[in-house]
Amino acid sequence: MALVDLTVEFYGQAVHAASDLWSGRSASDAVELYAHGINALREHVKPTVHIHYHIRDAGSVVNVVPDYSKIWVRVRDSKRAGMKIVYQRVQEMVEGAAILANVDYKVSLISRIHELLPNVVGGKVMHENLKTLGEITYTDEEIAFAQDIQRATDIPLTGMDGTLQPWEYPRENPGGGSIDVGDVSFIVPIIRMTATIAPYGMPWHSWAVVASGASSIGHKGLVHASKAFPMTGVDLFTNES
């Protein structure tokens, strides 16, 4: 998905939180108001849009009205054009939160990433090589290990799935995350693949995937991918058409 990252900083006036409140301007009020605005916006964006945020700083002690706060905001959409519309809106909302809390603000762009432009011909070539390699097989011990992790993460005990899925034409609005190779894909053709490195249904970005990747399960997936890529490279170099 296309992505844009920004940070917003609010600057207020610190005062004693009990004896001098009327002189203070709370930066934490501003960041809360801004986060509330983002959450209200979720109802009014297209289903392809994802908005994430993480409050990095909102004060350090309860006895002082914070004069500084910081929030990291991320906007995604399946297409860059749609992402830009929401990005513009979340920037405009910063001023509203600052006005309500009577504070100053600063918006900083971190990065922007295009969506991935799929290469259908290359994807089909890769898929043929995956068919040649066949499915990834697992030992009884590996399946038991996978089920232990699924049990620990409250997921059905389905074990491993190393089968090759049917090739599908790329969806118009795919879900999932973002990747900086999306920018590259608008300049040169990009071929990507996925190999199983964890039990089915794992919560990604979690300890469960880390544990799986460090095991023989993860190693098998790595070896599988390391075969598919050079096989595909040979095909591309030897097939002039």
Side-chain angles (χ1 to χ4, degrees), residues 3-239:
L3 168 154
V4 63
D5 271 352
L6 62 148
T7 57
V8 179
E9 297 168 278
F10 294 105
Y11 303 90
Q13 174 62 56
V15 295
H16 193 288
S19 64
D20 195 23
L21 280 170
W22 47 89
S23 300
R25 295 181 292 116
S26 174
S28 66
D29 282 354
V31 81
E32 286 189 73
L33 288 163
Y34 182 49
H36 178 72
I38 290 173
N39 290 321
L41 179 63
R42 297 184 196 278
E43 187 179 2
H44 307 287
V45 296
K46 293 182 177 181
T48 54
V49 173
H50 296 171
I51 310 174
H52 325 275
Y53 66 77
H54 173 60
I55 296 175
R56 309 296 300 274
D57 193 333
S60 56
V61 294
V62 72
N63 200 38
V64 178
V65 171
D67 61 356
Y68 177 77
S69 65
K70 184 176 183 179
I71 184 171
W72 181 1
V73 181
R74 171 169 293 177
V75 177
R76 303 186 206 246
D77 193 6
S78 59
K79 298 290 185 293
R80 186 170 182 267
M83 176 271 289
K84 287 176 66 177
I85 295 171
V86 182
Y87 172 47
Q88 181 65 34
R89 184 65 180 144
V90 298
Q91 288 186 94
E92 294 168 349
M93 290 163 56
V94 175
E95 184 177 6
I99 291 172
L100 288 169
N102 192 25
V103 298
D104 299 319
Y105 67 89
K106 176 184 176 183
V107 178
S108 301
L109 174 68
I110 300 176
S111 64
R112 281 184 286 203
I113 297 174
H114 280 78
E115 71 273 18
L116 186 76
L117 185 63
N119 185 279
V120 172
V121 173
K124 288 181 177 179
V125 173
M126 175 73 83
H127 194 261
E128 288 301 312
N129 285 309
L130 290 170
K131 287 196 291 187
T132 299
L133 289 171
E135 66 180 53
I136 306 174
T137 59
Y138 302 96
T139 65
D140 292 341
E141 290 78 10
E142 288 169 334
I143 293 172
F145 173 77
Q147 291 177 337
D148 283 343
I149 293 183
Q150 288 173 325
R151 187 178 294 108
T153 50
D154 296 322
I155 292 172
L157 308 183
T158 54
M160 298 299 301
D161 182 6
T163 58
L164 176 62
Q165 303 302 312
W167 188 88
E168 296 181 1
Y169 197 87
R171 296 190 299 274
E172 177 66 21
N173 293 300
S178 307
I179 185 168
D180 52 8
V181 78
D183 289 350
V184 181
S185 72
F186 279 78
I187 302 171
V188 296
I190 295 294
I191 307 172
R192 300 176 69 234
M193 61 156 293
T194 299
T196 301
I197 62 162
Y200 183 77
M202 283 291 95
W204 291 95
H205 290 324
S206 73
W207 68 267
V209 174
V210 174
S212 302
S215 73
S216 58
I217 292 170
H219 185 258
K220 282 184 174 180
L222 182 67
V223 170
H224 200 73
S226 71
K227 293 176 180 177
F229 274 104
M231 290 169 69
T232 304
V234 169
D235 289 342
L236 296 177
F237 276 106
T238 57
N239 187 329

